[in-house]
Amino acid sequence: MNAFSLAGQTALVTGANTGIGQAIAVAMAQAGAQVIAAGRRDCDETLALIGDKGRGMRLDFADPMAARDVFAAERIDILVNNAGIIRRADAVDFTESDWDDVIDVNLKALFFTCQAFARAALPRGQGKIVNIASLLSFQGGIRVPSYTASKHGVAGLTRLMANEWAARGLNVNAIAPGYIETNNTEALRADPARSGAILDRIPAGRWGRPEDIGQTAVFLAAPASDYVNGAVINVDGGWLAR
Ligand code: NAP
């Protein structure tokens, strides 16, 4: 047996049209999984990269309960909760809508998607959940209060769900990506002062690439990680080691 193979497994990746979600979908297909690339818009680019191992699904977490019926309808072995948004403003000016929008997508939708998955997977006694957390699951950040609150929540919920479901065959873990070149960090990379300060602090000496996260997600979805429960693994070029 290849402990890193996903052959015979079906994985659903949320927010799979771009960035980290796209890289995870591609890595999982390369590891042998059938991949459902879920997005609030078509995932054509991702599906073109995956070929006949992929298909699309519309899931828009503007309704945080959007995935409620997905896992009862068909067998899905691996769930990757990747969809996420960020809003930036000084804490003193932060609006209620920037709070609610981020918490709904990053935290409420993640929890209820995990719940829907678990209701289908627990009776089978097998399943893997990979949540996408952040360095701001550990640190405070600046000008992103709802994002920081949501990602601290993702780390906590990952541990809570692992505590409840580990003995029942369901692994729940998270990845905390460092600074990765995606749409999410476009504003940071466009600001030479912030961008330079970030780069100076990364021991690996470069920003992360979406592919850096893809392989860690494969590990957390594969038999190789069967005894990993409730972990939040930072893939950050050493950022948190500083
Ligand atoms: P991204 O390129 O902006 O991707 C975010 C994904 O989430 C996109 O597919 C986006 O779809 C989707 N999404 C947003 N709102 C949605 C909704 N209402 N319903 C369904 N999907 C929705 O950024 P990314 O960096 O790849 O982010 C992926 C995850 O990694 C996020 O959870 C983010 O917080 C986390 N993360 C990123 C970094 C980083 O440095 N980039 C660091 C730590 C954590 P659209 O394309 O349609 O907007």
Side-chain angles (χ1 to χ4, degrees):
M1 185 190 88
N2 176 354
F4 293 89
S5 170
L6 302 183
Q9 311 283 306
T10 298
L12 184 147
V13 183
T14 70
N17 58 306
T18 185
I20 291 171
Q22 179 176 79
I24 292 172
V26 169
M28 289 199 169
Q30 286 169 348
Q34 293 291 326
V35 175
I36 302 170
R40 62 175 162 174
R41 63 183 99 195
D42 286 343
C43 296
D44 293 344
E45 190 182 295
T46 305
L47 292 171
L49 293 168
I50 292 177
D52 61 8
K53 285 199 155 313
R55 70 187 154 90
M57 180 185 288
R58 280 292 173 103
L59 270 185
D60 186 343
F61 293 116
D63 170 11
M65 310 300 285
R68 61 171 80 72
D69 298 325
V70 167
F71 305 99
E74 62 180 309
R75 177 172 177 143
I76 295 172
D77 307 285
I78 298 157
L79 165 66
V80 182
N81 284 301
N82 164 78
I85 55 174
I86 192 163
R87 299 277 168 79
R88 298 177 197 280
D90 290 346
V92 74
D93 297 323
F94 211 75
T95 64
E96 186 178 4
S97 65
D98 280 346
W99 179 270
D100 288 344
D101 290 352
V102 172
I103 296 291
D104 273 0
V105 174
N106 294 12
L107 191 61
K108 184 174 177 180
L110 178 141
F111 174 71
F112 283 103
T113 302
C114 287
Q115 183 193 66
F117 176 81
R119 285 175 176 171
L122 286 171
R124 294 197 294 264
Q126 208 176 359
K128 300 267 190 179
I129 295 176
V130 182
N131 294 323
I132 302 303
S134 168
L135 293 178
L136 299 192
S137 298
F138 306 105
Q139 301 181 303
I142 300 166
R143 306 185 71 246
V144 288
S146 57
Y147 188 82
T148 299
S150 72
K151 294 297 185 178
H152 271 66
V154 168
L157 285 176
T158 296
R159 298 181 184 113
L160 174 136
M161 293 185 285
N163 291 338
E164 292 200 22
W165 300 335
R168 301 173 66 189
L170 228 168
N171 293 72
V172 189
N173 293 291
I175 299 170
Y179 286 88
I180 313 292
E181 293 166 345
T182 68
N183 299 335
N184 176 292
T185 52
E186 208 171 348
L188 288 180
R189 283 178 290 119
D191 176 340
R194 283 300 309 280
S195 171
I198 287 167
L199 195 55
D200 279 349
R201 219 207 105 131
I202 301 174
R206 65 166 175 88
W207 282 66
R209 303 178 194 107
E211 300 74 38
D212 291 318
I213 309 304
Q215 297 306 333
T216 309
V218 168
F219 165 66
L220 290 176
S225 63
D226 277 354
Y227 198 58
V228 181
N229 295 285
V232 184
I233 299 179
N234 46 304
V235 180
D236 62 357
W239 176 276
L240 285 178
R242 285 293 281 268

